[in-house]
Amino acid sequence: MSYYSVLEVTPTNEDWIANYVASANRLVTTHGGKYLANTPVHERLEGKGDDVAIRVIIQWPSKEAAITFMNDPEYAPLLKGRTEGSISNHVLIEGKED
């Protein structure tokens, strides 16, 4: 069953971004993930909330793949850089099997 990481990221500084993007993209692929969206182009159609700079959706082949990615020691310094250099929210959503 697929799982989806949905992230909202608003950088508070940009020092971490260049290193993060290349390295995180490689690690996502290594763990079987696939970016479905990674964009500053989005529009709120309903509800209220804080505007965010970037929205990201990553498809994972399983919950375990997503968790293994998050716990990868190589990802730890990248995660630290992103969380210290941005306001970020990340949720993991179970996909629906038809």
Side-chain angles (χ1 to χ4, degrees):
M1 173 176 298
S2 292
Y3 276 74
Y4 300 88
S5 284
V6 178
L7 294 95
E8 299 174 332
V9 181
T10 300
T12 54
N13 74 57
E14 297 187 2
D15 298 342
W16 59 275
I17 295 174
N19 183 52
Y20 182 91
V21 171
S23 298
N25 289 352
R26 181 182 54 74
L27 287 170
V28 164
T29 301
T30 298
H31 289 282
K34 177 183 173 186
Y35 282 93
L36 301 181
N38 187 355
T39 182
V41 181
H42 46 83
E43 178 180 350
R44 182 181 307 279
L45 298 179
E46 182 180 344
K48 297 180 184 201
D50 294 334
D51 288 331
V52 298
I54 303 164
R55 294 190 189 268
V56 180
I57 302 172
I58 304 169
Q59 180 180 21
W60 300 101
S62 65
K63 180 178 182 178
E64 292 74 23
I67 299 301
T68 301
F69 164 76
M70 290 298 296
N71 292 325
D72 187 317
E74 195 174 343
Y75 184 61
L78 301 172
L79 177 61
K80 183 176 191 254
R82 177 174 60 79
T83 56
E84 290 179 356
S86 71
I87 300 166
S88 297
N89 293 298
H90 181 177
V91 297
L92 187 61
I93 301 171
E94 180 180 66
K96 180 182 178 212
E97 297 290 325
D98 290 333

